[in-house]
């Protein structure tokens, strides 16, 4: 493998100063790379108030949008349709009938393991001594209405609608907002892969226009939304370390019910063994895992419902009056501060609700709604009401209500099912971790790591190997260090309430700017739910000194890493901005027909080297940076050039006839090949060059065939404009016969050049971008960038992993300053 190192900048920076990444938005003074929108008071839309793809070389918009969409003359034939395809956008999957029922069945086994096992410990976590019947009814009332308001109304009926093309979680809602608001930047190479749908100002009410304008123009507001989205991800992940340890450890400790003499060392050893087994099966994927997990959770919830009905019939059906919310308010008023602190135990009744939203991408909204409303919710209501009926007669049973309230003869089956259900409870947060990491990678908040799609039918079911094994190590350490559920319980719940509050805020913004609901109509529901979130959150914060500091600290450290990576990526986009231009910006044809650099690069002539040069570009949509570096520094080009663009789509496979899109660029014998592929398609193969050459041959043959038909149908004396941008061979007033001969001659010449270049030598030309910190950078910024560069250098994909002949690879190294 040959290596070429280029250590200076490709062209003078003063000619192309660093510009904002975001197009179509006026500069807002000190707002950096973001912009400000203007709004029309007359109710008509600002002609410039539109959605623009974020590019690395954006300019202030003008009436002709120069800098956003370059004129055909400026970019010649580089403006080909092969780069932009509506099918590139992620398509939301919709399931009906048997598939919907199957998904609902799977969702029970994954989503509700956490929230479904809460009846094991809610009452024991809430009360510290035997409760009075009045207090018991009050707590039950709060549990019932919390499940109704916080889970059913807030999440199942409202928040699940704020998905981002089927993906769930707080960060997905932030991604949704970023499509409808100018609040973030995107990788210029992948901007066209995102469907931007920002509503015109005239389509929003006056209050909505004002709120959106203030949010978009405020650096603090944009930063706050970003931090909220990232913190929600890291808090779910940090809870993801606790949930498996807590649930499995609690399940194993349940053996003490029948064997009180079991040692702590045995409990920890069995817990660690189960945790290892739990993470080992993750590569199987959700569909296969749920064959075992779903029946366990279904049976577990069924046990709770049956036990609840039994206890209601036998003991105290009067607890049904807890459906009156007045008893919940009365409990809080009577108990004052102590009642407020007890909310920290009550909130455990709906912990896991954050995973219900985060796991949405693995299932569907209708499947989750169906499984919750038709099965899980009724079972949980019966469980809590039935336990309250038993405790009202046996107050001392509050410490272990599930087992003590079990009907005679069912204690051993209940113990087995409870242990299995507690183990399965971890799956909700494990799946959520995979979903959230995939989301943050899409918006460049985390280095690209391997993501495996585990289902050909359900595209959102993912598995991330690195995350799985790191999560396994973390949970084993947590279980071994804390070694009892009481300590883990003190660390649990705070992050959940932060996430639910963030969800409330994000979805309220989505209601205003995505669903276009008036801010005045959104405010009151937001205030009610935010007050509920705030009440529970304030109570949960009392756990911080007793253990919750661990999850908050871990979430903060992870959030710092994600925000640091994003900061570094934005600096990288700035540094790369000067090279993101069409080929006509770098290369032109001189009067003598020879290729040369453009006048801005001194017009040096370019020599031609024999061979077939394939320039790799990941998801790009302009000239690959490696090409501009190659041409400018070596003043040479291969005989035939192909820009090879990879365009991954979120689908299992792309049909062969739709996989390749070839177009001709302004440079003679220069082509662009865009390859669209699914997650099960293999593109980089040892015979890649032959596949590329064959696709170009087909393209030339098709163009030649269409041109011949056009010439045959044109009357004499007409002008044919095919390929007029870089050749005048066909722009003639010659007779049809002469046109056909010229067309044949050109086709034969291009095909001969292609075959000769391919037969002589194939070169895979790849770029290896190195970065250094600019001289004079302040110390704090330099430290952050150094950490970013260190992470970047240790997470980059290696060329050795590509399945292409190494003796045909040329790596062009170049240096950028950030």
């Amino acid at each position: 493998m040959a290596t070429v190192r280029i250590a200076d900048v490709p062209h003078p920076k003063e000619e192309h100063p660093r510009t904002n990444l975001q197009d179509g938005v006026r500069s807002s003074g000190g707002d950096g790379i973001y912009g400000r929108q203007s709004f029309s008071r007359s109710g008509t839309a600002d002609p410039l108030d539109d959605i623009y793809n974020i590019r690395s070389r954006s300019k202030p918009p003008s009436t002709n949008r120069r800098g956003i969409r370059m004129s055909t003359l400026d970019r010649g034939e580089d403006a080909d349709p092969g780069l932009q395809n509506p099918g590139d956008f992620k398509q939301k999957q919709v399931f009906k009938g048997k598939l919907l029922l199957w998904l609902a069945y799977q969702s029970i086994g994954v989503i509700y393991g956490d929230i479904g096992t809460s009846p094991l410990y809610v009452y024991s976590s809430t009360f510290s001594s035997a409760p009075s019947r009045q207090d018991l009814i009050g707590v039950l009332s709060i549990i019932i209405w919390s499940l109704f308001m916080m889970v059913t109304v807030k999440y199942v009926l409202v928040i699940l609608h704020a998905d981002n093309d089927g993906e769930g979680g707080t960060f997905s809602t932030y991604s949704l907002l970023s499509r409808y608001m100018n609040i973030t930047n995107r990788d210029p190479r992948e901007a066209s892969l995102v469907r931007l749908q920002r509503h015109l100002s005239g389509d929003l009410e006056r209050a909505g226009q004002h709120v959106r304008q203030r949010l978009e123009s405020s650096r603090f507001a944009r930063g706050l939304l970003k931090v909220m989205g990232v913190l929600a991800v890291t808090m779910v992940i940090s809870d993801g370390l606790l949930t498996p340890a807590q649930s499995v450890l609690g399940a194993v400790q349940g053996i003490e019910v029948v064997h009180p003499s079991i040692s702590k060392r045995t409990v920890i050893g069995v817990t660690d063994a189960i945790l290892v087994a739990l993470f080992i099966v993750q590569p199987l994927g959700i569909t296969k895992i749920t064959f075992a997990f779903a029946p366990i959770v279904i049976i577990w919830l069924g046990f709770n419902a049956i036990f609840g009905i039994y206890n209601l019939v036998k003991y105290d059906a009067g607890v049904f009056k807890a459906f009156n919310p007045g008893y919940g308010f009365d409990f809080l008023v009577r108990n004052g501060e102590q009642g407020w602190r007890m909310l920290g135990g009550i909130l455990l009744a709906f912990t896991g609700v954050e995973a219900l939203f985060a796991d949405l991408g693995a299932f569907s909204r209708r499947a989750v709604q169906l499984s919750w409303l038709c099965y899980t919710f009724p079972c949980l209501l019966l469980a809590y009401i039935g336990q309250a009926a038993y405790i009202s007669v046996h107050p001392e049973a509050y410490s272990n209500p599930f087992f003590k309230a079990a009907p005679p003869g069912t204690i051993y089956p209940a113990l087995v099912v409870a242990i299995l259900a507690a183990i399965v409870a971890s799956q909700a947060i494990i799946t959520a971790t995979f979903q959230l990491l995939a989301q943050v990678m899409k918006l460049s908040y985390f280095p690209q790591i391997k993501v495996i799609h585990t289902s050909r039918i359900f595209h959102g079911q993912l598995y991330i190997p690195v995350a799985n094994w790191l999560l396994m190590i973390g949970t084993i350490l947590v279980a071994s260090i804390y070694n009892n559920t009481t300590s883990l319980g003190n660390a649990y719940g705070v992050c959940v309430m932060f996430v639910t509050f963030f969800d409330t805020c994000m979805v309220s913004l989505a209601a205003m700017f995505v669903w276009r609901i008036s801010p005045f109509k959104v405010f009151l529901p937001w205030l009610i739910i935010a007050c509920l979130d705030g009440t529970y959150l304030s109570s949960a914060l009392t756990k911080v000194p007793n253990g919750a500091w661990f999850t908050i600290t871990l979430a903060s450290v992870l959030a710092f890493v994600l925000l640091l990576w994003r900061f570094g990526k934005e600096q990288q986009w700035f540094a790369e901005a000067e090279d993101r231009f069409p080929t006509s910006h770098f290369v032109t044809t001189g009067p003598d027909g020879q290729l040369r650099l453009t006048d801005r690069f001194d017009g040096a002539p370019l020599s031609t080297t024999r061979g077939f040069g394939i320039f790799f570009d990941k998801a790009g949509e302009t000239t690959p940076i490696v090409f501009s570096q190659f041409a400018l520094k070596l003043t040479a080009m291969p005989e035939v050039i192909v820009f090879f663009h990879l365009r991954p789509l979120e689908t299992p496979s792309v049909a062969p006839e739709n996989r390749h899109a070839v177009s001709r660029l302004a440079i003679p014998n220069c082509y662009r090949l865009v390859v669209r592929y699914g997650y099960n398609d293999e593109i980089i193969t040892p015979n890649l060059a032959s596949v590329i050459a064959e696709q170009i041959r087909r393209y030339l043959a098709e163009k030649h065939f269409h041109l011949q038909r056009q010439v045959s149908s044109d009357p004499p004396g007409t002008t044919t404009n095919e390929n007029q941008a870089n050749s005048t061979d066909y722009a003639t007033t010659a007779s049809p016969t002469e046109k056909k001969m010229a067309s044949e001659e050109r086709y034969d010449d291009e095909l001969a050049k292609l075959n000769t270049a391919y037969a002589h030598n194939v070169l895979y030309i790849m770029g290896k971008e190195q970065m250094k910190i600019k001289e004079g950078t302040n110390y704090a910024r330099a430290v952050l960038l150094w950490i970013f560069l260190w992470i970047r250098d240790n997470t980059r994909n290696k060329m050795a992993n590509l399945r292409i002949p190494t003796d045909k690879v040329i790596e062009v190294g170049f240096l950028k300053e950030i």
Side-chain angles (χ1 to χ4, degrees), residues 506-527:
M506 289 287 189
V507 175
S508 298
L509 293 176
M512 289 186 284
F513 308 125
V514 179
W515 305 333
R516 291 182 288 180
I517 301 175
S518 170
F520 298 111
K521 296 178 181 178
V522 171
F523 177 75
L524 183 59
W526 172 83
L527 182 62

Side-chain angles (χ1 to χ4, degrees), residues 732-765:
T732 68
T733 55
S735 66
T737 302
E738 292 175 329
K739 289 182 181 180
K740 284 187 177 182
M741 292 179 62
S743 173
E744 288 282 357
E745 182 178 345
R746 175 170 180 171
Y747 170 69
D748 292 341
D749 180 61
E750 290 179 330
L751 189 60
K753 286 184 177 180
L754 173 63
N755 291 331
T756 301
Y758 176 75
H760 178 76
N761 191 23
V762 172
L763 295 176
Y764 297 99
I765 306 170

